[in-house]
Amino acid sequence: MYFCCAFPVLGRRVWFMNYDDEQQLQDEIAEVTAEMEKLEAKDESKTNTKTKQLSIGKKKFNMDPKKGIEYLIEHGLLQDTAENVAQFLYRGEGLNKTAIGDYLGERNDFNMKVLDAFVDLHDFTDLILVQALRQFLWSFRLPGEAQKIDRMMEKFAQRYCHLNPGVFSNTDTCYVLSFAIIMLNTSLHNPSVKEKPSVEQFIKMNRGINNGGDLPRELILSLYDSIKQEPFKIPEDDGNDLMHTFFNPDREGWLWKQGSSKLSGRYKSWKRRWFILNDNCLYYFEYTTDKEPRGIIPLENVQVEEVVDRNRSNCFELFSTGSDIIKACKTDSEGKVVEGKHTVYRMSASTPEEMTEWIKYIRQSISHNPFYDMLSARKKKAQHL
């Protein structure tokens, strides 16, 4: 049997341990090791759960921004503060930029605070206006509603003027010139715009906006040349010219669309689709992240009106005024583009107000951009300050 004692050897104390003590020590080490492994496994499992929840939250956000943010806050992945939500949107990892724009444009107290914090995360110091716009418009996609655009561009102008004092006499000048640059970008680089504005037309467009005076000609020339040589990079742009159509559309949002059977003509189930209205066309997508539309409905020889549906509320229809079939196209299950067979397209909005707005914007189509009147009023204000 082993025994434990100590005695000096060359000035050092040497310990001998008996067998029972050694076994006990080994057991204790094994127990601590097992406990550590268990804790590590628990931490890893917890990390995996959080990663999965974050992924789910981002997907929810891309489908419904408000519900996505609520989910992330509920699961402790975001703090319920405007600053924390703004940082999450600014990083934008895995987030659809259309959804970011929709969330930032909502008119309620919390969303407006998020917009303030989001804009404050951008540093425009010592940037010329077009460079600042490139940075700002890459971080999200402008929604189609005029009031949302107005709030966002107002915040941008305030932030730019705060960081670059003395460049413009007031924020309205910055606001109007920013819009002029955005419209110039669309006019110069959208394939559907046949007559491209000249530099002289651009100069004339911006006369008198600097507290009643003109901005330096050299500044306007440099802005025009910058946009002409390098268009804005549109969020999620894959090089497809079609994407230029979806930059700053007349209107966009979720609608329920009714399908129809090719054989019997009977109506099938309703499907939720993301609609974009621009260039005299309605485009609809399965998801906001899709780069190609599932279908395109040209708004030619059609009318729109409110209808009553026994299964759904807030319905309206597009129907042909000429031939029986609306000239439309869609992608089939194999991804091939085929001609549509619809004589009528029936859609349903979530509220009566949204239905009314869709009907109004469809009737106006592309011939009247929703923010022109708003911009005209702001321009008059800038000229007479």
Side-chain angles (χ1 to χ4, degrees):
M1 182 173 180
Y2 292 101
F3 61 91
C4 183
C5 66
F7 58 90
V9 177
L10 297 177
R12 295 184 181 179
R13 189 175 294 272
V14 179
W15 288 88
F16 290 90
M17 184 176 293
N18 66 31
Y19 177 81
D20 292 336
D21 289 339
E22 183 180 357
Q23 186 63 44
Q24 183 180 353
L25 181 59
Q26 289 177 352
D27 291 342
E28 288 176 357
I29 292 172
E31 186 178 342
V32 171
T33 302
E35 189 65 28
M36 288 176 65
E37 289 175 350
K38 188 193 240 181
L39 288 171
E40 288 174 359
K42 187 176 181 181
D43 288 343
E44 186 177 348
S45 175
K46 188 176 179 181
T47 301
N48 289 339
T49 299
K50 288 296 182 184
T51 301
K52 186 175 181 181
Q53 288 175 341
L54 180 60
S55 177
I56 292 172
K58 289 179 178 180
K59 289 178 181 177
K60 283 181 176 289
F61 178 87
N62 291 338
M63 294 293 290
D64 188 322
K66 182 181 177 183
K67 290 183 179 178
I69 295 297
E70 289 174 350
Y71 176 90
L72 292 166
I73 291 174
E74 180 184 339
H75 288 83
L77 296 165
L78 277 182
Q79 298 172 21
D80 192 8
T81 66
E83 291 73 19
N84 194 244
V85 173
Q87 288 172 0
F88 173 71
L89 300 181
Y90 182 74
R91 290 193 300 270
E93 298 168 358
L95 302 182
N96 175 256
K97 304 237 173 140
T98 295
I100 295 174
D102 282 343
Y103 187 83
L104 292 172
E106 287 299 321
R107 188 174 186 178
N108 62 59
D109 290 341
F110 185 76
N111 290 61
M112 292 175 77
K113 288 177 182 177
V114 173
L115 175 61
D116 286 342
F118 180 85
V119 175
D120 285 346
L121 290 170
H122 291 77
D123 186 4
F124 303 133
T125 307
D126 295 330
L127 294 181
I128 64 171
L129 185 60
V130 71
Q131 291 173 331
L133 272 172
R134 289 187 195 280
Q135 181 191 131
F136 186 57
L137 296 178
W138 178 248
S139 61
F140 68 99
R141 203 173 111 194
L142 279 173
E145 291 86 342
Q147 291 178 342
K148 290 184 179 182
I149 296 171
D150 181 44
R151 285 195 295 274
M152 292 170 159
M153 297 307 297
E154 175 73 29
K155 296 297 181 185
F156 166 80
Q158 291 173 358
R159 177 68 172 164
Y160 183 85
C161 290
H162 173 72
L163 295 174
N164 299 278
V167 174
F168 299 108
S169 58
N170 54 69
T171 57
D172 285 304
T173 299
C174 180
Y175 174 101
V176 172
L177 186 58
S178 298
F179 254 117
I181 293 170
I182 292 173
M183 290 189 288
L184 176 68
N185 180 80
T186 302
S187 299
L188 289 178
H189 300 289
N190 190 326
S192 67
V193 178
K194 303 304 179 186
E195 294 188 13
K196 308 299 183 184
S198 67
V199 64
E200 292 301 325
Q201 288 174 318
F202 186 61
I203 291 172
K204 184 178 179 181
M205 177 182 178
N206 291 289
R207 278 185 181 148
I209 68 171
N210 193 30
N211 202 18
D214 292 344
L215 290 165
R217 181 181 175 88
E218 295 75 19
L219 171 63
I220 303 297
L221 287 173
S222 66
L223 294 174
Y224 183 92
D225 289 340
S226 178
I227 292 298
K228 186 175 182 179
Q229 292 172 17
E230 184 184 357
F232 285 130
K233 291 182 179 177
I234 301 168
E236 299 170 2
D237 188 9
D238 60 354
N240 189 335
D241 285 341
L242 190 60
M243 289 306 295
H244 290 281
T245 298
F246 310 138
F247 183 62
N248 193 26
D250 285 354
R251 186 168 179 82
E252 59 185 345
W254 291 105
L255 291 171
W256 290 87
K257 174 182 166 295
Q258 192 177 50
S260 63
S261 169
K262 292 181 180 179
L263 296 176
S264 63
R266 292 186 211 162
Y267 288 117
K268 297 194 298 184
S269 61
W270 292 81
K271 294 182 179 179
R272 193 168 182 248
R273 295 287 183 253
W274 178 258
F275 277 81
I276 288 180
L277 172 63
N278 212 354
D279 285 347
N280 297 97
C281 288
L282 266 178
Y283 304 86
Y284 58 91
F285 303 75
E286 189 169 358
Y287 303 106
T288 57
T289 50
D290 290 347
K291 297 182 185 299
E292 297 286 348
R294 290 294 302 272
I296 303 174
I297 309 171
L299 299 178
E300 298 175 2
N301 300 318
V302 296
Q303 289 187 8
V304 59
E305 66 179 8
E306 181 181 351
V307 294
V308 177
D309 189 290
R310 62 183 180 181
N311 297 316
R312 284 212 169 250
S313 55
N314 311 316
C315 289
F316 60 94
E317 279 187 349
L318 285 172
F319 57 94
S320 175
T321 58
S323 60
D324 292 335
I325 296 175
I326 296 175
K327 295 178 180 179
C329 63
K330 63 180 181 178
T331 53
D332 62 15
S333 57
E334 298 177 353
K336 296 179 181 178
V337 178
V338 296
E339 253 185 72
K341 302 294 183 182
H342 285 269
T343 56
V344 170
Y345 283 91
R346 179 171 291 191
M347 274 78 78
S348 170
S350 58
T351 65
E353 292 76 18
E354 283 193 17
M355 177 196 67
T356 301
E357 285 292 294
W358 272 106
I359 291 175
K360 181 180 77 171
Y361 278 92
I362 288 173
R363 283 178 178 158
Q364 291 176 345
S365 188
I366 195 62
S367 60
H368 179 72
N369 282 323
F371 52 77
Y372 274 175
D373 292 340
M374 173 191 70
L375 182 58
S376 176
R378 184 64 68 97
K379 188 172 181 180
K380 288 178 182 178
K381 181 181 175 185
Q383 289 173 335
H384 295 96
L385 282 173

